[in-house]
Every structure is written in structure tokens, then in C-alpha cells.
Amino acid sequence: MSNLETLKKDEDAVILAHYYVDEEIQKVADHVGDSFYLAQTAQNLTNNKIIMAGVYFMGESVKILNPDKKVLMVDSEAGCPMVDMVTVESIKEMRDKYDDLAVVCYINSSAEIKANCDVCVTSSNALKIVEQLEEKNIFFVPDRNLGSFIAKNVKDKNIILNDGCCPVHDKVRAEDVKKLKEMHKNAKVMVHPECRPEVIALADYVGSTKGIILESGKGGDEFIIVTEVGISAKLKELYPDKKFYFVEDFICEDMKLLNMDKLIDVIKNDKNEVFVDEEIAKKALKPLERMLIMGAN
Ligand code: 13P
Ligand code: SF4
């Protein structure tokens, strides 16, 4: 048994990792996945310590789903800038304006925002969940790009957008993808819905990181991948004979703050524990649980 395995056993710890963290961490994690898979997995863990190898909102969601467990971040400085791009006040204003309104919140948000919304979604289930809602008006926060993607695909709703985005996905331009298409004419274009609408318009497939990984296994030998480069680890592992081309410098710096030394230190020394205010956590649990039911695959 490796040192890390012994440490995990001694500390009764389990490691959850997102596809965007470095390959070395994905390799030693017990569960690797997209945001929805990580939330689903977090529901059923029996270990005392849950180590989140991802960004802070992911640790918060795990803590809300597991209030009695110790949730530790590999690096608590690793955050998602999109989380700060919506305010509780803007949600209150929208609720005052519309009677028939559902506030739908991307899981990339703070516990406080979740506590003020009606249902959470991730990039893998947003369409499915919004389609099931009874309300006509949907205030979608914080991501305007994922919100626009929903508006384009769910016709009978009035989707109200909030001006937030993922700075990493939003940076990609249609020109970047067109250049890659010129170079690799037979490649299928796989795009994450956090990208701009004009980038999504170039896609053969639009989906979450897990969706892109699964879809790449179905058909085709070459793919232009329009999301964070961390998913190349799983793509190479699953499909060693296929070719994957990435947009240059597609890196989430926050996810890359994590490394093996920090991971070991956190498990050993109980560092970076996640705390969520009890009242907020109770309120935020409802939209998260609603997502897990409505978005179940
Ligand atoms: P998914 O994990 O849903 O693909 O989202 C990607 C992301 O940006 C996570 O922060
Ligand atoms: Fe946030 Fe974008 Fe990084 Fe995901 S990739 S954690 S959305 S900044």
C-alpha cells in the first residue's frame, strides 16, 4: 500500500477530484468527475473526512450535503471567480418584479446564493431541470453564457440573464476555434456551455466535462476540445488512440493551485476545513437536493 493509501485509511479520508485539477491528483482520487457527479457522489460517502480537490464552492456543496462530516479543501484559496458575480439583492429585486418566477442557480455559486434560489443546476442537467419547472420566468444566475444556452434551447420560458461568467471559458473567441477547425478538418468540436454563444454555435456537441468525455467515446477519431485542459488526462486514459486538440492556454489557474504536497498536508493535519453557516446551509440544502432529484440521469 502506498503512503497516501495508508494515510487515507488511517484518517478515514476519501478524495473527490474535478477533471480540471492536475493529472497527478486525479490519479490518486477515489472519485473523479464533473460538478454533478461530485455532488451525487458526496451524498453517499461514509468516510469521516472528505477531501475536495476542486474549488471552494464544490467543498461548500459537499459540506451542505454532509453537515456532520469534516470537509477539507486541498487549497482553500482555490475559488471560482464566477461565484462573486451575483448578489442576493439582485435576486430579491427580481422576486419583487415577477410573481411567476423561479430563481435557478448554477452550482458555481456561494452557499448564500444557493440559499436564496429555488433550484440548483450544473452544466450537465441545466436544460433538463429548467424544462421541468412550472414557472414561466426564470432568473438564471450567475452565468450568462450557460443562461443564453438554456434560453436558446428552452423556447417556452422567459430566461432572465445575470451578467456573470467563467473568465476562463468566456475568454475563448470563435476565431480560436475556427483556426483549429481549419487545421483539423475532420475533428468534431466539443464545447462546454460556459463558453460564449458564438463559440457554442460552432459546436458539434455541447455538454459538461463528463458529457464531453462520454461523447468522445461514441464516434470519431479527432476532437477539438473547448474546455479546460485538465480533462485531457481522462481523455488520454480512456481513448489512447484518439487525437484531441485544445485551445491554447485554456487553464483555470484556481484549479491549478492544488498539488500533491498540499493534498498530503491537508489529510495529515486537518487543514482548510470548510464551514457553512448553519441557517444558510439548511436553506441551501433544499435547492441542491431538488437538483439531485430533478437532474438524476
Ligand atoms: P462541469 O464540472 O459541470 O463540467 O463544470 C465545469 C466547471 O467549470 C467547474 O467549475
Ligand atoms: Fe470557475 Fe471557470 Fe475555473 Fe470552473 S473553470 S472553476 S467556472 S473559473
Side-chain angles (χ1 to χ4, degrees):
M1 209 186 275
S2 72
N3 287 347
L4 179 62
E5 285 306 314
T6 311
L7 183 62
K8 267 167 43 184
K9 200 162 177 270
D10 292 348
E11 299 292 329
D12 193 18
V14 60
I15 304 171
L16 302 184
H18 190 270
Y19 291 123
Y20 293 164
V21 299
D22 271 346
E23 186 169 2
E24 59 173 1
I25 294 183
Q26 291 189 45
K27 277 195 172 141
V28 298
D30 299 285
H31 305 278
V32 185
D34 66 1
S35 307
F36 187 51
Y37 173 82
L38 295 177
Q40 278 180 315
T41 305
Q43 262 193 319
N44 306 314
L45 296 172
T46 52
N47 309 69
N48 287 328
K49 279 187 202 175
I50 306 173
I51 316 300
M52 172 47 72
V55 289
Y56 201 76
F57 77 81
M58 296 176 175
E60 268 187 344
S61 299
V62 172
K63 180 66 184 174
I64 293 164
L65 291 163
N66 293 276
D68 300 328
K69 293 195 192 291
K70 196 172 258 190
V71 179
L72 307 174
M73 298 300 302
V74 174
D75 188 326
S76 44
E77 294 295 309
C80 172
M82 201 196 314
V83 166
D84 301 318
M85 295 185 190
V86 60
T87 60
V88 173
E89 286 64 40
S90 65
I91 294 178
K92 285 186 181 150
E93 275 170 28
M94 214 52 82
R95 289 203 191 276
D96 287 344
K97 199 166 164 190
Y98 292 92
D99 287 334
D100 182 22
L101 180 85
V103 179
V104 178
C105 148
Y106 192 24
I107 199 164
N108 297 39
S109 53
S110 67
E112 196 188 10
I113 292 295
K114 288 184 178 77
N116 281 278
C117 81
D118 298 303
V119 64
C120 292
V121 299
T122 73
S123 57
S124 72
N125 57 33
L127 288 181
K128 186 177 176 176
I129 290 177
V130 171
E131 275 165 357
Q132 291 175 64
L133 294 172
E134 282 173 8
E135 292 85 352
K136 170 85 182 159
N137 303 296
I138 308 292
F139 185 31
F140 188 82
V141 300
D143 187 2
R144 62 170 142 76
N145 290 334
L146 180 57
S148 303
F149 177 65
I150 296 167
K152 198 160 188 292
N153 287 281
V154 185
K155 296 286 181 211
D156 60 338
K157 302 280 184 199
N158 173 35
I159 310 283
I160 305 152
L161 301 177
N162 167 81
D163 193 17
C165 67
C166 160
V168 185
H169 286 79
D170 193 66
K171 200 174 70 178
V172 181
R173 294 290 176 266
E175 283 314 307
D176 303 328
V177 179
K178 282 181 189 164
K179 268 186 213 156
L180 282 170
K181 271 172 78 113
E182 267 303 303
M183 286 159 69
H184 310 288
K185 293 199 166 41
N186 296 323
K188 284 188 182 167
V189 181
M190 321 294 272
V191 178
H192 196 282
E194 287 175 11
C195 292
R196 290 178 171 226
E198 59 272 26
V199 174
I200 291 180
L202 298 169
D204 295 301
Y205 173 80
V206 184
S208 73
T209 45
K210 187 175 172 192
I212 290 173
I213 291 166
L214 293 176
E215 193 67 23
S216 302
K218 289 185 184 162
D221 300 319
E222 292 182 67
F223 301 87
I224 293 165
I225 304 291
V226 192
T227 191
E228 215 267 359
V229 68
I231 82 163
S232 64
K234 192 50 91 186
L235 289 170
K236 277 189 292 176
E237 179 195 318
L238 292 175
Y239 320 118
D241 299 329
K242 298 194 184 210
K243 290 201 171 95
F244 300 98
Y245 312 108
F246 280 79
V247 176
E248 219 175 300
D249 292 331
F250 207 143
I251 293 169
C252 174
E253 301 290 350
D254 282 87
M255 291 282 189
K256 301 301 186 259
L257 287 173
L258 284 58
N259 61 40
M260 285 299 284
D261 289 343
K262 290 180 186 176
L263 174 69
I264 290 165
D265 184 29
V266 157
I267 304 177
K268 238 188 219 171
N269 300 310
D270 270 4
K271 285 191 174 167
N272 305 339
E273 184 165 359
V274 177
F275 296 100
V276 182
D277 173 89
E278 225 173 281
E279 277 310 300
I280 289 179
K282 258 191 225 161
K283 286 187 192 157
L285 180 62
K286 287 184 190 155
L288 272 174
E289 285 185 333
R290 202 175 169 204
M291 172 188 80
L292 290 163
I293 295 166
M294 291 175 80
N297 30 27

